[in-house]
Amino acid sequence: MNWLNLDHVQLAIPAGSEDVCRSFYGTILGWQEEPKPESLAGRGGVWFRTDAFRVHLGVDKDFHPAKKAHPAFLLEDLDALAEKITAHDVVVEWDNNLEGYKRFYADDAVGNRLEFMQKKDG
């Protein structure tokens, strides 16, 4: 097998939370909303993309926020992101337990755990 890349990550959201998710992922994180295919649009949810990855938010009728399982996003300026999201009253939980990385956790608009990481120099 020749694995090429990760196409997308899907996270669950509750029905009717698309607008608060647009605010978090689109406005705060700055990700671009991606139109869902017409064949899937009736299911609810919302999709986002960056130059590096895509995240699909899918409606789960029995939604419970993911508090342990989470995606981790690697970026270059972690401090700038932390400053930006805390300015929007998002709580940042710094963690120094992974050698070679600076990182923090934050919950999205519906309580899903997200990890944001930056490789340390040297």
Side-chain angles (χ1 to χ4, degrees):
M1 282 185 226
N2 184 18
W3 298 98
L4 299 176
N5 206 338
L6 178 67
D7 183 75
H8 69 275
V9 170
Q10 180 162 337
L11 297 171
I13 61 172
S17 66
E18 288 87 351
D19 286 342
V20 296
C21 289
R22 283 182 178 100
S23 177
F24 180 83
Y25 289 94
T27 303
I28 297 173
L29 295 183
W31 299 357
Q32 181 180 356
E33 185 171 346
E34 179 178 54
K36 291 180 69 174
E38 189 175 318
S39 61
L40 300 176
R43 298 180 183 181
V46 61
W47 292 4
F48 293 94
R49 76 175 311 125
T50 71
D51 290 340
F53 56 81
R54 299 185 310 168
V55 173
H56 295 176
L57 305 178
V59 171
D60 185 342
K61 293 176 187 170
D62 188 31
F63 173 77
H64 299 282
K67 293 299 186 184
K68 180 70 176 171
H70 62 275
F73 303 100
L74 188 63
L75 64 152
E76 292 180 354
D77 195 345
L78 193 65
D79 291 325
L81 176 63
E83 184 177 316
K84 181 176 183 179
I85 68 174
T86 56
H88 286 90
D89 298 321
V90 176
V91 175
V92 167
E93 179 187 337
W94 289 97
D95 182 289
N96 298 319
N97 294 316
L98 185 59
E99 188 175 327
Y101 291 89
K102 183 176 183 178
R103 68 183 181 161
F104 67 80
Y105 296 96
D107 289 346
D108 72 4
V110 296
N112 289 313
R113 184 182 200 195
L114 305 174
E115 182 177 352
F116 300 95
M117 311 171 67
Q118 178 179 347
K119 287 186 178 182
K120 291 183 179 178
D121 292 331

